[in-house]
């Protein structure tokens, strides 16, 4: 029985393969790679997944640059000025026993909806390497470069997703620090919206064009067809046929109803205010609309970044209230609409920041990269709220209890998304490429986050 | 597929009634009336094969040729002036002379260095982590080697046997541009790069036998940030834990001397046990302890009778130019993946060896052949016809070539940056995307259009497959629109006050490397005259041309 379930997860019909030719990697090749993976899986018989899939969509809020854990969600009020810096105040939340930095009053009222992992660790202090580890679960130095969790979701969940909007959307820009689609190919690249949802009109790059009326769109499309002298002669060529096919898909988005998803003027201005009239807040609102449209994986790359080697406290004072406002309202709004059950939200950077403040010049009160221990916020999609998993030590410098490694976190997210982490990704050369690595002496694991599963 | 074809026929029939350019008339723009005649051994081999298949090839027109050759040799479009000059030239050998002329251009080296950059994984950041200075030094080595037309065997030997600092000796970065730096990981990468072989299909013993040659490579940081020395380490110094920090994440970190230790131990003596390596052809060799095993391997590899070396490079260059290998994929050389035309492959190998591994000679042999000049309008879409190069294979322009072409046409530039590692890198605005040294230096366009991730160096790592998101960008993004509407070159043309037919002619020559047909001119004229805004209408004409497959695809 279990075996059968696992089969249906990756088996795709020829028709689906063709559909993947539009959003998916090159048709036939993909088909054969998948057949191989199905065969491989029939041979392997793993234990049944303990976690029931609940998440239809995932919103990943990526705090690019690495947000300080001490100053935010793992406060250490007794640690002294060397560690505390300027933020000495903590506040209670609506869950007894859980406290946050006073920079997060709105989130404090939603603590029953999210849980905190205060013992996230991978030990890497390089932005790009840590970002790769946190978003793939794999360590660099292997033969392959793996795709990000968003691309993997797009690959697996995209098979049942029929929307016009691409299955993996980034608000608003991709950091572009590693090839997020990896060997899955360009069809699994995130669709980066560009534009600013907090502007008068959210101009989604390529979807909502400035100053081009629909009439002009149609007139110039006709012109394009008329002048396509060469294209008509090679229309049968597979390369050109593929191009025409993907162009038609693009036009569905340009002229069709898909663009309305990005039209925030359809939202109640009061609700827009509640999300916060800033880019991040409005990104959260767009993310909710994308969830409603069925998009499987949405990333909000925090505009601005958290790489606060210097000017740390001022940056935190400016950004934390925005993060607080947008994230708290997102959780509230998803909950109010009954979407939180099926929408998984996770929020973290690639690492935390040094618990000890660098008061000396040139930092003058800065915090540096710190992958030894940091905090992750998770909510919805099958995650319990109101919990704290693990703990850091008294200054936030090391894991004190229950380490959580990238494969533990990602493994749980995959499980809640109904993706088998042992499934093979379709590598173009048919190489063995599992969704997540098996734990070994390099890849550490302390087990899935079953304590957070509702 | 059949439905698409049917649709195509219907659309064509419909268009016929509306008087668009098509059929024989359209073909005459893109094809030459002169029947092809074999011009040398290469052609005789290809033509014989095509005759067997019952295919009569057709040559491309001069306008198609000049565009094709610029794109294939330089990775850029000819200017309208260059096109006019070439079309006006009446000499019979003008195609061959153009090949020779373009080979002298700087962009020729830039473009081929870009292709080698993909193959050799020249990238500062994840996953190979050459670091910016290392990536630049490596690119300089490759660029200079191509510019001086260094014999290919020597080029490869220099990389395989290099030692020294990653900043100073560009070629050592070859051993750094690999994720898995274990001896087997390096052997695998060497096999992929220079033998066109994927070791995944090998029995383990074969890879282990080859790995022996790469078992004495060591890496050590220096006190300079991100400097790393690659060296031959017969002493096994790398194995003494306090000596060597392979830490990819903190290169340049020299471990402080432990306070409780007196001094580092003296180097252990060179092992007197000779190493025994096994070449991939099964030959065992005993490596004397005073000989760098990498040299032993390199000397075996670059011998003309090596079963992989010459085959791999001629097939790779052929695939770069023709869009498909004689053995395909070009790095899938194995017994059960035979060449589509063994005689052709053997001929190219012979040319390569006799010329002393002269890469430019190889390019010339291919580019001056009639086979290279076949029309891209297929008469036969069977797999055999494609695999035997019966027509030139249309391929979408690479990301870098495409954005350079758009910028050249419009008179605009793009910003290329690397956000990592800090401090951020910004590349001067006049640098073309093709000539960027480092795969970590990016722009959203390059990422969107499938530039190589330079992670594995596999031939198919670069993807030119179209996606809907790319179309959204080309058809409807503000980035492209602002280039068309306010780029200095196009606005100068639009505001020149010249008559519309002249403006349209110049647009066609600049964007498509040919003049419009009378029908096309009429269509454009009507569109511009009927429009309420002449300026916007001219932008729309340019927009339509850059969104046509004739522009987006090399053909």
């Amino acid at each position: 029985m279990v075996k059968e379930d696992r089969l249906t997860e990756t088996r795709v019909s020829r028709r689906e393969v063709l559909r993947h030719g539009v959003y998916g990697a090159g048709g036939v090749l993909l088909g054969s790679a998948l057949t191989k993976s199905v065969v491989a899986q029939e041979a392997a018989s793993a234990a049944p997944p303990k976690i029931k899939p609940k998440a239809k969509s995932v919103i990943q809020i990526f705090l690019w640059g690495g947000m300080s854990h001490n100053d935010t969600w793992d406060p250490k009020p007794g640690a002294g000025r060397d560690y505390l810096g300027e933020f000495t105040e903590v506040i209670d939340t609506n869950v007894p026993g859980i406290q946050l930095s006073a920079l997060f009053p709105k989130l404090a009222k939603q603590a029953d909806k999210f849980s905190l992992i205060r013992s996230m660790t991978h030990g890497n202090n390089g932005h790009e390497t840590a970002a790769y580890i946190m978003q793939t679960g794999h360590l660099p130095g292997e033969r392959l470069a793996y795709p990000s969790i968003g691309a993997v979701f797009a690959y697996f969940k995209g098979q049942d997703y029929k929307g016009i909007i691409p299955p993996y959307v980034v608000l608003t820009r991709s950091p572009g620090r590693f090839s997020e689609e990896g060997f899955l190919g360009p069809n699994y690249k995130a669709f980066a919206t560009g534009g600013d949802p907090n502007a008068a009109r959210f101009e989604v790059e390529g979807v909502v064009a400035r100053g081009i009326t629909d009439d002009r769109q149609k007139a110039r499309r006709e012109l394009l067809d008329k002048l396509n002298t060469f294209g008509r002669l090679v229309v049968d060529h597979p390369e050109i046929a593929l191009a025409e096919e993907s162009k038609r898909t693009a036009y569905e988005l340009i002229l069709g109803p898909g663009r309305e998803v990005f039209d925030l003027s359809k939202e109640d201005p009061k609700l827009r205010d509640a999300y916060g009239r800033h880019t991040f807040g409005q990104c959260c609102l767009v993310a909710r609309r994308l969830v409603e449209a069925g998009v499987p994986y949405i990333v909000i790359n925090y505009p601005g970044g958290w790489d606060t080697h210097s000017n740390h406290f001022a940056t935190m004072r400016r950004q934390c209230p925005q993060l607080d406002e947008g994230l708290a309202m997102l959780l509230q709004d998803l909950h109010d609409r009954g979407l939180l059950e099926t929408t998984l939200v996770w929020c973290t950077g690639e690492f935390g920041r040094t618990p000890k403040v660098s008061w000396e010049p040139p930092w003058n009160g800065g915090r540096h990269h710190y992958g030894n221990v940091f905090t992750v916020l998770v909510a919805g999609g099958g995650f319990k709220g109101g919990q704290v998993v693990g703990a850091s030590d008294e200054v936030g410098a090391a894991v004190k209890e229950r380490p959580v490694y990238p494969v533990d976190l990602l493994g749980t997210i995959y499980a809640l998304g109904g993706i088998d982490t042992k499934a093979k990704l379709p590598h173009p050369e048919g190489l063995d490429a599992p969704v997540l690595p098996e734990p070994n002496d390099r890849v550490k694991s302390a087990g899935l986050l079953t304590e957070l599963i509702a | 597929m059949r439905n698409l074809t049917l649709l195509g026929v219907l659309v064509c029939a419909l268009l016929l009634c509306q008087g668009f350019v098509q059929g024989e008339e359209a073909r005459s723009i893109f094809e030459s009336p002169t029947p092809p005649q074999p011009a040398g051994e290469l052609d005789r081999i290809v033509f014989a094969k095509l005759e067997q298949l019952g295919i009569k090839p057709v040559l491309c027109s001069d306008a198609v040729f000049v565009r094709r050759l610029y794109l294939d040799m330089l990775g850029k479009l000819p200017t309208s002036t260059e096109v006019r000059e070439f079309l006006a030239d009446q000499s019979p050998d003008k195609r061959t002379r153009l090949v020779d002329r373009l080979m002298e251009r700087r962009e020729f080296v830039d473009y081929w260095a870009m292709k080698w950059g993909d193959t050799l994984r020249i990238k500062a950041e994840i996953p190979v982590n050459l670091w910016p200075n290392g990536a630049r030094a490596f690119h300089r080595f490759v660029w200079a080697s191509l510019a001086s037309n260094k014999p290919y065997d020597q080029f490869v030997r220099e990389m395989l046997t290099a030692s020294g600092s990653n900043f100073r000796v560009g070629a050592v970065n070859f051993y750094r541009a690999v994720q898995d730096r274990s001896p087997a990981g390096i052997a695998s990468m060497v096999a992929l790069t220079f033998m066109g072989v994927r070791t995944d299909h090998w029995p383990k013993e074969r890879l282990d036998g080859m790995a022996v040659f790469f078992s004495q490579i060591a890496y050590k940081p220096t006190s300079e940030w991100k400097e790393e020395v690659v060296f031959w380490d017969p002493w096994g110094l790398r194995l003494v834990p306090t000596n060597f920090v392979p830490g990819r994440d903190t290169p340049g970190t020299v471990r402080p001397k432990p306070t409780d230790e007196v001094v580092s131990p003296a180097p252990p003596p060179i092992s007197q046990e000779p190493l025994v390596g096994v070449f991939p052809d099964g030959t065992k060799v005993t490596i004397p302890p005073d000989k760098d095993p990498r040299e032993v391997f390199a000397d075996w590899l670059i011998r003309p009778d090596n079963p992989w070396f010459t085959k791999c490079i001629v097939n790779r260059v052929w695939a770069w130019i023709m869009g498909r290998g004689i053995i395909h994929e070009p790095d899938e050389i194995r017994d059960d993946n035979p060449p589509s035309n063994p005689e052709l492959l053997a001929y190219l190998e012979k040319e390569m060896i006799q010329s002393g591994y002269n890469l430019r000679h190889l390019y010339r042999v291919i580019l001056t052949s009639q086979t290279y000049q076949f029309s891209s309008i297929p008469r036969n879409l069977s797999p055999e016809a494609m695999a035997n190069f019966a027509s030139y294979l249309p391929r979408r322009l690479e990301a870098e070539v495409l954005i350079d072409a758009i910028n050249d046409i419009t008179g605009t530039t793009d910003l290329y940056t690397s956000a990592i590692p800090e401090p951020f890198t910004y590349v001067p605005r006049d640098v073309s995307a093709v000539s960027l040294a480092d795969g970590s230096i990016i722009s959203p366009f390059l990422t969107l259009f499938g530039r190589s991730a330079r992670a594995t160096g596999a031939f198919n790592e670069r993807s030119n497959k179209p996606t809907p998101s790319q179309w959204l960008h080309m058809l409807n993004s503000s980035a492209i629109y602002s280039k068309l509407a306010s780029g200095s070159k196009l606005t100068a043309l639009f505001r020149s006050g010249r008559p519309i037919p002249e403006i349209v002619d110049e647009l066609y020559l600049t964007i498509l490397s040919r003049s419009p047909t009378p029908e096309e001119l009429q269509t454009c004229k009507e569109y511009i005259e009927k429009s309420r805004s002449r300026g916007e209408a001219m932008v729309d004409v340019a927009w339509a041309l850059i969104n046509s497959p004739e522009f987006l695809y090399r053909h």
Side-chain angles (χ1 to χ4, degrees):
Chain A
M1 198 58 223
V2 170
K3 211 177 185 182
E4 263 180 36
D5 283 344
R6 289 162 58 77
L7 276 177
T8 46
E9 242 168 49
T10 45
R11 178 174 286 161
V12 285
S13 69
R14 179 171 157 67
R15 197 179 153 163
E16 281 164 326
V17 167
L18 285 176
R19 213 178 70 76
H20 270 262
V22 183
Y23 279 139
V28 178
L29 192 65
L30 181 71
S32 68
L34 271 172
T35 317
K36 269 184 214 159
S37 89
V38 169
V39 174
Q41 284 194 21
E42 264 172 318
S45 71
K50 283 174 235 148
I51 296 173
K52 229 176 143 186
K54 292 234 173 105
K56 290 183 187 153
S57 295
V58 175
I59 300 173
Q60 177 192 350
I61 299 171
F62 197 55
L63 304 176
W64 181 253
M67 183 177 78
S68 163
H69 50 295
N70 294 55
D71 290 334
T72 57
W73 302 336
D74 190 10
K76 304 287 174 186
R81 184 171 181 273
D82 277 359
Y83 290 91
L84 271 179
E86 296 181 10
F87 304 129
T88 52
E89 254 183 85
V90 295
I91 49 172
D92 289 331
T93 65
N94 67 352
V95 175
I98 300 182
Q99 291 189 317
L100 299 178
S101 154
L103 293 165
F104 293 89
K106 292 185 171 155
L107 214 46
K109 297 199 181 87
Q110 307 291 338
D112 56 327
K113 299 187 183 64
F114 64 81
S115 293
L116 294 172
I117 300 161
R118 284 179 170 161
S119 52
M120 189 72 214
T121 178
H122 53 59
N124 192 292
N125 293 338
H127 284 297
E128 45 290 336
T129 308
Y132 177 80
I133 295 170
M134 283 300 286
Q135 293 185 88
T136 66
H138 291 264
L139 298 178
E142 296 180 19
R143 274 268 324 273
L144 306 176
Y146 279 83
S148 70
I149 179 170
V152 174
F153 261 80
Y155 171 69
F156 285 105
K157 307 287 274 187
Q159 291 168 14
D160 300 321
Y161 167 68
K162 308 281 183 238
I164 294 172
I165 296 167
Y168 174 23
V169 178
V170 167
L171 300 161
T172 58
R173 280 172 230 312
S174 286
R177 297 200 172 186
F178 69 95
S179 170
E180 292 179 19
E181 73 278 18
F183 51 75
L184 291 180
N187 284 299
Y188 295 98
K189 191 183 288 299
F191 173 70
T193 61
D196 178 2
N198 194 41
R201 187 176 182 218
F202 181 23
E203 285 171 349
V204 177
E205 195 66 295
V207 177
V208 181
R210 186 187 320 214
I212 308 227
T213 60
D214 280 4
D215 282 347
R216 188 170 168 205
Q217 286 284 17
K218 284 171 189 150
R220 67 179 190 175
R221 189 183 185 185
E222 259 173 48
L223 179 70
L224 172 59
D225 286 341
K226 280 186 191 168
L227 296 180
N228 192 14
T229 309
F230 177 76
R232 279 192 288 277
L233 291 169
V234 290
V235 70
D236 286 345
H237 197 287
E239 284 285 310
I240 306 294
L242 195 61
E244 287 300 318
E245 179 65 31
S246 59
K247 186 163 78 178
R248 271 192 288 279
T249 307
Y251 263 117
E252 283 179 26
L253 201 47
I254 292 173
L255 297 170
R259 54 187 166 165
E260 285 171 17
V261 172
F262 298 105
D263 185 357
L264 292 184
S265 70
K266 299 205 175 333
E267 291 288 331
D268 181 349
K270 283 198 197 103
L271 185 70
R272 291 193 70 180
D273 291 343
Y275 269 93
R277 292 283 185 166
H278 38 78
T279 303
F280 175 70
Q282 301 300 304
C283 279
C284 288
L285 179 52
V286 177
R288 192 217 78 211
R289 291 178 66 87
L290 288 167
V291 167
E292 288 169 323
V295 175
Y297 205 94
I298 303 136
V299 175
I300 302 173
N301 275 310
Y302 196 94
W306 299 83
D307 197 13
T308 50
H309 291 281
S310 56
N311 208 26
H312 169 80
F313 294 103
T315 309
M316 297 298 278
R317 249 182 247 291
R318 190 180 67 244
Q319 281 188 174
C320 289
Q322 298 191 348
L323 176 62
D324 184 42
E325 192 167 36
L327 179 53
M329 193 58 217
L330 176 65
L331 296 176
Q332 169 84 58
D333 198 15
L334 286 172
H335 173 262
D336 292 350
R337 286 163 198 259
L339 290 168
L340 195 57
E341 291 270 292
T342 53
T343 306
L344 191 158
V345 180
W346 66 294
C347 177
T348 183
E350 65 270 42
F351 39 54
R353 300 202 82 78
T354 41
K356 206 167 172 178
V357 179
S358 288
W359 291 110
E360 72 282 8
W363 318 115
N364 302 318
R367 294 188 190 268
H368 310 302
H369 307 172
Y370 204 73
N372 209 25
V373 66
F374 56 107
T375 302
V376 180
L377 180 150
V378 294
F383 274 122
K384 276 191 225 169
Q387 309 290 313
V388 170
V389 171
S392 61
D393 64 13
E394 63 279 11
V395 291
V399 174
K400 193 168 90 187
E401 56 191 54
R402 202 312 183 200
V404 176
Y405 296 98
V407 291
D408 304 332
L409 172 65
L410 296 184
T412 311
I413 296 173
Y414 278 126
L416 287 173
I419 293 170
D420 177 5
T421 56
K422 291 192 173 68
K424 303 285 181 277
L425 295 168
H427 190 275
E429 280 85 53
L431 296 184
D432 187 21
V435 171
L436 283 181
E438 286 289 332
N440 56 36
D441 53 341
R442 284 187 76 214
V443 178
K444 290 190 189 145
S445 166
L448 296 179
L449 292 160
T450 43
E451 60 267 54
L452 281 184
I453 301 308
Chain B
M1 200 65 225
R2 181 160 297 163
N3 284 342
L4 273 181
T5 316
L6 198 65
L7 193 73
V9 172
L10 279 174
V11 170
C12 286
L14 215 74
L15 294 173
L16 200 62
C17 316
Q18 299 184 16
F20 299 137
V21 198
Q22 59 199 305
E24 282 316 306
E25 192 194 344
R27 284 186 184 194
S28 69
I29 310 169
F30 306 106
E31 295 184 338
S32 159
T34 320
Q37 291 295 324
E41 187 62 19
L42 188 161
D43 289 331
R44 270 189 290 280
I45 296 167
V46 173
F47 281 55
K49 184 81 188 227
L50 293 179
E51 202 174 317
Q52 277 176 26
L53 297 170
I55 297 170
K56 275 208 169 68
V58 181
L59 288 182
C60 67
S61 66
D62 276 349
V64 167
F65 180 79
V66 65
R67 179 183 184 85
R68 181 186 296 176
L69 196 68
Y70 269 76
L71 286 171
D72 288 347
M73 288 186 74
L74 311 183
K76 66 182 293 183
L77 293 179
T79 63
S80 58
T81 315
E82 287 167 329
V83 174
R84 282 196 188 92
E85 276 169 13
F86 183 77
L87 297 180
D89 187 343
Q90 293 301 317
S91 54
D93 62 342
K94 66 175 178 178
R95 293 192 181 190
T96 303
R97 281 193 295 112
L98 187 61
V99 172
D100 290 332
R101 265 210 314 282
L102 296 190
M103 222 172 263
E104 299 307 316
R105 299 255 305 243
R106 188 187 169 87
E107 298 100 318
F108 174 69
V109 182
D110 291 342
Y111 184 51
W112 290 90
M114 177 185 100
K115 295 199 179 262
W116 279 107
D118 290 354
T119 310
L120 299 170
R121 302 160 301 273
I122 303 183
K123 191 178 188 190
E125 291 298 332
I126 198 146
V128 294
N129 295 92
L130 284 179
W131 309 122
N133 280 349
R136 262 153 213 289
F138 198 13
H139 184 263
R140 259 198 309 279
F141 163 79
V142 169
W143 197 95
S145 300
L146 296 175
S148 64
N149 199 27
K150 184 181 285 169
Y152 175 70
D153 52 349
Q154 190 189 328
F155 175 57
V156 173
R157 195 180 191 285
E158 283 177 23
M159 284 187 271
L160 284 176
T161 60
S163 292
S165 151
N166 60 334
F167 293 177
R168 291 169 182 80
V169 184
V172 298
N173 289 290
F174 174 75
Y175 285 114
R176 299 181 64 251
V178 50
Q179 276 203 80
D180 174 0
R181 291 185 184 181
S182 67
I186 292 172
S188 230
M189 182 266 294
V190 169
L192 181 77
T193 313
F194 300 127
M195 296 164 59
V197 167
R198 297 177 189 278
T199 55
D200 315 295
H201 305 292
W202 280 8
K204 187 176 176 298
E205 311 84 71
R206 194 182 301 168
L207 184 60
D208 290 346
M210 180 173 163
V212 169
F213 298 101
F214 306 102
S215 62
Q216 295 186 341
I217 301 171
Y219 304 85
K220 69 173 178 189
T222 77
S223 53
E224 187 68 41
W225 193 47
K226 295 190 172 176
E227 187 180 40
E228 190 173 59
V229 173
V230 179
F231 64 107
W232 173 41
D233 176 26
W235 303 280
L237 292 176
R238 67 196 175 284
L239 304 172
V240 180
T242 51
N243 274 353
F244 167 56
V245 189
R248 311 165 56 77
D249 305 314
T250 51
T253 314
V254 178
R255 231 174 235 220
K257 199 181 281 178
T259 44
D260 53 345
E261 260 177 54
V262 192
V263 272
S264 335
I270 296 182
S271 163
Q272 291 305 309
E273 282 295 305
L275 280 178
V276 180
V278 188
F279 295 123
D281 64 1
T283 317
K284 260 191 193 166
V285 61
T286 304
I287 307 157
D290 60 345
K291 178 103 175 159
D292 185 343
R294 299 179 302 166
E295 291 188 14
V296 178
F297 182 84
D299 291 337
W300 168 82
L301 178 71
I302 65 173
R303 274 170 25 196
D305 62 351
N306 182 293
W308 292 280
F309 182 66
T310 314
K311 192 177 283 173
C312 172
I313 183 62
V314 299
N315 188 51
R316 191 184 278 282
V317 170
W318 177 273
W320 274 337
I321 295 174
M322 304 297 283
R324 174 190 175 96
I326 303 166
I327 297 174
H328 198 68
E329 298 270 329
D331 42 22
E332 283 269 32
I333 299 180
R334 50 189 155 83
D335 291 344
D336 53 349
N337 184 28
S340 60
N341 187 339
E343 217 186 325
L344 175 60
L345 192 59
Y347 166 72
L348 294 172
E349 287 180 65
K350 194 184 81 194
E351 282 292 326
M352 190 63 174
I353 294 164
Q354 282 177 357
S355 70
Y357 287 93
N358 182 337
L359 281 171
R360 291 197 182 190
H361 175 75
L362 180 63
Y363 297 140
R364 198 173 187 283
V365 165
I366 299 170
L367 293 166
T368 59
S369 70
Q370 298 269 292
T371 304
Y372 172 70
Q373 299 172 31
F374 287 165
S375 164
S376 58
I377 303 166
R379 299 299 193 276
N380 184 330
L381 279 165
S382 69
E384 293 80 24
M386 304 259 228
N388 283 288
F389 314 98
S391 55
Y392 180 88
L393 299 173
R395 282 154 281 155
R396 209 206 69 218
L397 302 181
E398 301 99 315
E400 296 91 330
V401 175
L402 183 55
I403 190 64
D404 283 350
I406 294 168
N407 284 339
D408 283 348
I409 290 165
T410 53
T412 55
T413 57
D414 268 40
L415 179 63
Y416 302 112
T417 62
S418 169
I420 37 149
E422 293 153 272
F424 301 165
T425 305
Y426 289 90
V427 175
R429 284 276 187 174
D430 58 349
V431 171
S432 70
V434 165
S435 61
L436 293 174
D438 172 357
S440 289
I441 294 179
I442 56 166
S443 72
F445 186 96
L446 294 181
T447 311
L448 179 60
F449 282 79
R451 184 199 207 193
S452 171
R454 296 190 174 176
T456 64
F459 192 83
N460 60 14
E461 193 167 23
R462 173 183 287 278
S463 174
N464 294 330
K465 288 266 174 274
T467 65
S469 302
Q470 293 169 359
W471 278 112
L472 290 177
H473 190 84
M474 284 301 295
L475 294 166
N476 210 28
S477 70
S478 60
I480 295 293
Y481 189 81
S482 69
K483 283 174 187 292
L484 293 170
S486 40
S488 62
K489 272 191 205 162
L490 280 190
T491 37
L493 177 65
F494 295 155
R495 290 175 191 162
S496 62
R498 290 158 67 182
I500 289 173
E502 277 185 33
I503 291 178
V504 172
D505 190 53
E506 182 65 24
L507 271 182
Y508 262 79
L509 281 164
T510 307
I511 298 174
L512 300 182
S513 316
R514 66 174 175 92
S515 286
T517 64
E519 292 86 350
E520 287 168 336
L521 180 60
Q522 191 56 34
T523 303
C524 296
K525 248 183 95 176
E526 276 172 21
Y527 188 87
I528 294 169
E529 280 164 357
K530 270 204 313 212
S531 169
R532 271 178 304 177
S533 159
R534 246 180 89 128
E536 278 187 2
M538 285 192 286
V539 169
D540 286 352
V541 171
W543 171 91
L545 297 184
I546 67 155
N547 277 297
S548 66
E550 192 178 348
F551 171 75
L552 294 167
Y553 283 68
R554 54 181 81 225
H555 56 84

